[in-house]
Amino acid sequence: MKTWKIFLFLIIPFHTIFAQKLSYELNQNWQFKNQKEKKWYKATIPGTVHTDLLANNLIPDPFYRDNETRLQWIDKADWEYKTVFNIDSDLYSREKVNMVFDGLDTYADVYLNGKLILQADNMFRGWTVDIKPFIKQSGNELLIKFYSAQNKVDRIAMSKLPLILPDNNRVYVRKAQFQFGWDWGPRFVGCGIWKGIRVEGWNGTRNLPTHAARMGTVKLIQQKDAIGTSFYFEKDGKPIYAKGANWIPADVFLPRVKKEDYRKILQSAKDANMNMLRVWGGGVYEADAFYDLCDSLDIMVWQDFMFAGGMYPGDDAFMNNVREEVKYQIERLQHHPCIVLWCGNNEVDEAWKNWGWQTQFNLHGADSINVWNNYKRLFQDSLKKWVDQFDGTRPYIATSPKNGWGHQESFTEGDSHYWGLWWGLEDWEIFNSKTGRFVSEYGMQAMPNWNTIISYTDSGDRYLYSPVIQSHQKASDGFKKLNHYLTRYFIDSARLGKLSLKDYTYLTQCLQYYILRNSIATHLAKSPTNMGTLLWQLNDCWPVTSWSITDYSRKHKAAWYAVKEVYRPDVTPAQEGGYPKDPTLKKPAYTVSVSGNILSVSSNVFAKYVCVSVDDSEVEFSNNYFNLYDGSVETITLSKPVDVKQVKVISLYDVLHR
């Protein structure tokens, strides 16, 4: 076996006692298997069972075509991982030797040399175990047995009958909730060693590293006023208008997200003139790299705790588990100045009061009171107390939004998730009368980019509403809602069904561009009554039709260019008059030239939503989906040079008049 490399870290002195820590990562020579089978396969740590199965050619690409439905058996199986390792004699001789697990997903029994040393049950906690009594200098076997989270929560839910907690058994497990499926994401529950494992040893008294205290320069201002109660952020005594988006995990299989991925997506947010991201509560507390980059890019972070769209249990074991999770995460993250707010949950209060759960799940009388009391105990009492105890410098709000979008209070106090647009099939103009004090969710869907569609489809799948295209649209009646807005603003219903998939893709992206541009312009015009607009959503976790403005390929959809322009600090955007389908457009003739990585395009007549593309999916454009006026030239910077013969140009006329 290869000799392990030892890394030395100098720990800050504790009074006069110095403790030199030795540490190395246990990320080599791992194997995994189904617990019911005998054959072991190579595993990558950090990783997931899905990515390990894929790397060993044991399953097809989970994102390709409709493979998601064929891979649900993985979530019902139990899996195990093992490695054998030696440790250096210096480390072995240390007075204290710990094994540190930064992330186990989720139900796991951990054995070292045959001894059960840990039973983990929370994806969001780190675990530290004293292994001095069990460690050997050579031939240490570490075995981790993972148990199906889906089976576990189903058994727990069964034991609670006739009580049913809305709206999914996932609420019983401290695990990324989106893995159980969402209206923009697939269902891959999975398991695995999703963060690192290391062995640490030291002598004497160990002083845990501490970070400099975070100075609270950003404050949340909620004050009574003539309208209701304000909701805005203030930095160094000056009000900030928050321009941003909601962040979801950047991949269903979390360890695949590398620092360069975070950098690319977060830089795209900064380039779009965003100053705030909301880390949504159905995902994960993000990697250190995420917050480091937000610090350096001066992007504020609204940080949800990881609860979303469900009523959670209130037993002591669950509460104690959550307390340790909160303590661990706050201590890990509190030094980041980018984090300006802790929020208890996403849409749980609104759901309980407005989504009809009491009737749907037969929660009446004592059951209803008990479920709501558990909610109050966790989100209104305990989390606030824990935030004050472990942080003490940042504000806490119990839920987002404060009120449901069907209530007048949603527009006079707190933050608002306004889904009358999309879910309510209302026009974007509704924001003229229904813009909240801080709009923390709203949005419009669009298809992903064409090259992304090619990546998950076979040629025979590329027609409108094909089964595979449908399988990558998770929203309820998603295409029906998209078509409602397309016929409202862009195209007659008689022509809509005749579009090719490629033209339909283009048109949905123009729709998202148009809706977001005008919605944001309306929000900004309401300042200072309204002081924030966070669109849903910045990014995707797999290739899908969704509300994102950058798709899973990390490439911009049309709406990104609209957001970049309307969020500019030096402009005051105005609403557009008329609808895109109203003007009588003329057939354009385009002139295109390329010099190095500079592309120039012009048209002989006015052309709307001009889209420039090339077959090379790696090429990025400084601008796209712009309007061209007769005689004007649009100059675009490309991420790399292209042959002018590769360049394709279309505009709204070309699609509406094929």
Side-chain angles (χ1 to χ4, degrees):
M1 179 174 289
K2 296 181 179 178
T3 302
W4 289 95
K5 185 175 182 180
I6 298 176
F7 298 88
L8 302 178
F9 293 85
L10 182 63
I11 301 301
I12 299 171
F14 178 72
H15 298 298
T16 59
I17 301 173
F18 289 80
Q20 188 183 58
K21 181 179 72 173
L22 300 180
S23 175
Y24 65 81
E25 301 290 330
L26 288 179
N27 57 9
Q28 300 295 320
N29 304 315
W30 281 89
Q31 297 176 289
F32 83 107
K33 72 176 184 69
N34 188 315
Q35 287 191 28
K36 292 184 177 180
E37 299 175 358
K38 294 182 179 180
K39 186 173 181 180
W40 292 87
Y41 298 90
K42 183 179 179 180
T44 299
I45 306 301
T48 74
V49 66
H50 289 90
T51 52
D52 285 331
L53 288 166
L54 181 61
N56 285 276
N57 297 314
L58 298 173
I59 60 170
D61 181 352
F63 293 172
Y64 186 63
R65 303 194 75 224
D66 55 355
N67 284 340
E68 176 198 359
T69 59
R70 297 179 173 86
L71 299 178
Q72 295 304 303
W73 61 271
I74 298 169
D75 301 332
K76 297 294 185 70
D78 299 325
W79 302 88
E80 55 189 274
Y81 284 71
K82 72 175 182 180
T83 189
V84 178
F85 65 96
N86 304 329
I87 62 171
D88 182 88
S89 58
D90 193 9
L91 178 55
Y92 180 70
S93 65
R94 295 288 161 136
E95 295 175 13
K96 305 288 186 181
V97 182
N98 282 350
M99 188 169 287
V100 180
F101 303 86
D102 288 328
L104 298 175
D105 180 12
T106 293
Y107 293 109
D109 291 345
V110 182
Y111 297 85
L112 178 61
N113 297 325
K115 303 291 185 180
L116 179 64
I117 63 169
L118 172 65
Q119 290 184 295
D121 61 354
N122 189 325
M123 178 180 178
F124 306 125
R125 286 174 62 180
W127 309 87
T128 299
V129 182
D130 177 9
I131 61 170
K132 182 67 174 179
F134 315 114
I135 197 74
K136 301 184 295 185
Q137 192 166 345
S138 62
N140 293 284
E141 181 177 83
L142 182 61
L143 175 67
I144 305 179
K145 292 188 174 184
F146 288 98
Y147 301 95
S148 164
Q150 186 65 65
N151 291 346
K152 178 73 171 177
V153 297
D154 288 346
R155 286 194 296 268
I156 295 173
M158 184 69 68
S159 72
K160 304 295 182 181
L161 292 176
L163 176 70
I164 301 176
L165 287 183
D167 72 332
N168 189 298
N169 293 346
R170 60 179 165 78
V171 297
Y172 287 104
V173 60
R174 295 310 300 140
K175 177 176 173 63
Q177 303 285 272
F178 83 109
Q179 294 178 343
F180 292 82
W182 222 265
D183 58 2
W184 37 257
R187 184 186 177 281
F188 291 117
V189 178
C191 67
I193 305 168
W194 78 289
K195 290 190 174 183
I197 302 174
R198 62 189 180 277
V199 177
E200 298 178 345
W202 69 96
N203 292 326
T205 302
R206 181 187 179 200
N207 183 37
L208 294 176
T210 58
H211 299 283
R214 171 240 183 215
M215 300 302 293
T217 60
V218 178
K219 298 178 181 179
L220 174 63
I221 308 299
Q222 298 185 89
Q223 295 177 340
K224 295 286 185 181
D225 57 22
I227 300 168
T229 304
S230 67
F231 191 105
Y232 67 91
F233 292 90
E234 185 181 84
K235 185 173 184 179
D236 299 327
K238 297 180 180 179
I240 308 167
Y241 192 101
K243 303 175 182 179
N246 286 261
W247 171 277
I248 66 169
D251 201 303
V252 170
F253 307 124
L254 295 159
R256 295 206 296 202
V257 185
K258 306 305 180 186
K259 186 172 183 177
E260 52 267 30
D261 297 304
Y262 284 119
R263 184 178 299 280
K264 185 174 181 63
I265 304 171
L266 291 173
Q267 186 63 55
S268 78
K270 186 68 174 180
D271 290 345
N273 298 305
M274 295 185 183
N275 61 15
M276 178 175 280
L277 293 174
R278 173 178 174 244
V279 177
W280 171 75
V284 295
Y285 307 94
E286 278 296 343
D288 294 336
F290 173 90
Y291 301 98
D292 289 339
L293 287 163
C294 287
D295 287 341
S296 67
L297 292 169
D298 197 23
I299 295 175
M300 295 178 289
V301 173
W302 166 321
Q303 180 66 55
D304 281 4
F305 289 104
M306 292 302 115
F307 301 90
M311 302 304 293
Y312 290 85
D315 59 274
D316 288 344
F318 185 87
M319 294 291 291
N320 290 336
N321 199 355
V322 173
R323 182 186 184 277
E324 292 304 311
E325 167 191 325
V326 171
K327 180 177 185 290
Y328 173 80
Q329 293 295 343
I330 289 180
E331 289 178 349
R332 179 175 77 92
L333 299 175
Q334 65 179 339
H335 69 283
H336 288 286
C338 65
I339 299 176
V340 298
L341 177 69
W342 300 105
C343 176
N345 69 72
N346 172 76
E347 296 187 346
V348 179
D349 185 291
E350 176 184 11
W352 178 255
K353 294 175 179 176
N354 300 300
W355 294 2
W357 277 351
Q358 290 92 324
T359 299
Q360 182 182 352
F361 296 99
N362 195 30
L363 292 168
H364 304 288
D367 283 344
S368 178
I369 293 171
N370 182 56
V371 170
W372 180 243
N373 284 341
N374 286 340
Y375 172 90
K376 292 193 295 183
R377 179 189 177 196
L378 177 56
F379 296 110
Q380 295 180 3
D381 301 330
S382 298
L383 274 170
K384 184 181 187 305
K385 178 180 69 177
W386 297 334
V387 167
D388 289 343
Q389 178 182 354
F390 302 129
D391 184 337
T393 66
R394 291 175 178 85
Y396 168 80
I397 60 174
T399 189
S400 178
K402 184 176 182 181
N403 298 288
W405 58 267
H407 298 268
Q408 181 60 32
E409 294 82 1
S410 178
F411 314 114
T412 61
E413 61 183 33
D415 71 311
S416 173
H417 293 190
Y418 196 76
W419 287 108
L421 176 71
W422 181 261
W423 288 107
L425 297 179
E426 294 175 343
D427 298 344
W428 66 260
E429 290 93 337
I430 194 67
F431 283 124
N432 287 319
S433 58
K434 293 185 176 181
T435 292
R437 310 303 299 268
F438 191 107
V439 190
S440 48
E441 276 194 30
Y442 65 97
M444 177 55 56
Q445 275 202 351
M447 297 283 285
N449 292 308
W450 184 246
N451 284 330
T452 302
I453 292 173
I454 290 173
S455 74
Y456 67 80
T457 58
D458 181 81
S459 59
D461 302 322
R462 294 171 197 150
Y463 62 92
L464 202 52
Y465 318 131
S466 74
V468 167
I469 294 299
Q470 293 272 16
S471 73
H472 288 252
Q473 161 66 283
K474 296 297 185 179
S476 175
D477 290 330
F479 286 122
K480 184 177 179 180
K481 291 184 174 71
L482 265 176
N483 294 346
H484 166 84
Y485 286 101
L486 284 171
T487 55
R488 174 69 170 147
Y489 293 112
F490 276 85
I491 189 171
D492 294 332
S493 56
R495 294 204 64 252
L496 178 62
K498 299 177 182 178
L499 293 177
S500 69
L501 181 64
K502 192 170 187 179
D503 284 350
Y504 183 85
T505 295
Y506 165 85
L507 211 57
T508 65
Q509 292 215 9
C510 293
L511 170 70
Q512 189 185 36
Y513 182 114
Y514 170 78
I515 293 286
L516 290 185
R517 188 210 171 280
N518 285 285
S519 297
I520 293 169
T522 307
H523 295 166
L524 292 169
K526 301 291 184 179
S527 172
T529 301
N530 166 266
M531 286 297 288
T533 175
L534 306 181
L535 64 91
W536 185 273
Q537 65 212 63
L538 177 64
N539 57 313
D540 277 329
C541 66
W542 78 312
V544 64
T545 300
S546 80
W547 298 265
S548 72
I549 62 171
T550 57
D551 73 13
Y552 180 70
S553 72
R554 322 300 188 206
K555 298 299 188 296
H556 307 318
K557 291 159 74 168
W560 182 88
Y561 298 97
V563 171
K564 177 185 179 182
E565 183 65 21
V566 80
Y567 274 172
R568 281 174 52 184
D570 59 334
V571 300
T572 303
Q575 296 179 359
E576 294 180 48
Y579 294 165
K581 69 179 182 181
D582 290 343
T584 301
L585 298 172
K586 297 180 180 179
K587 181 177 177 62
Y590 310 107
T591 301
V592 180
S593 64
V594 176
S595 176
N597 66 336
I598 301 298
L599 184 150
S600 299
V601 59
S602 61
S603 171
N604 64 327
V605 296
F606 172 72
K608 193 168 184 63
Y609 298 127
V610 177
C611 174
V612 180
S613 64
V614 295
D615 290 335
D616 185 347
S617 62
E618 297 303 311
V619 176
E620 298 183 40
F621 305 87
S622 63
N623 194 19
N624 219 337
Y625 292 87
F626 45 83
N627 292 339
L628 265 180
Y629 296 87
D630 182 9
S632 66
V633 178
E634 183 70 23
T635 301
I636 302 167
T637 302
L638 308 177
S639 58
K640 64 180 184 180
V642 300
D643 186 330
V644 69
K645 296 178 181 178
Q646 299 176 358
V647 178
K648 303 180 183 68
V649 182
I650 63 168
S651 67
L652 189 60
Y653 177 93
D654 302 312
V655 169
L656 296 184
H657 295 85
R658 290 195 197 280

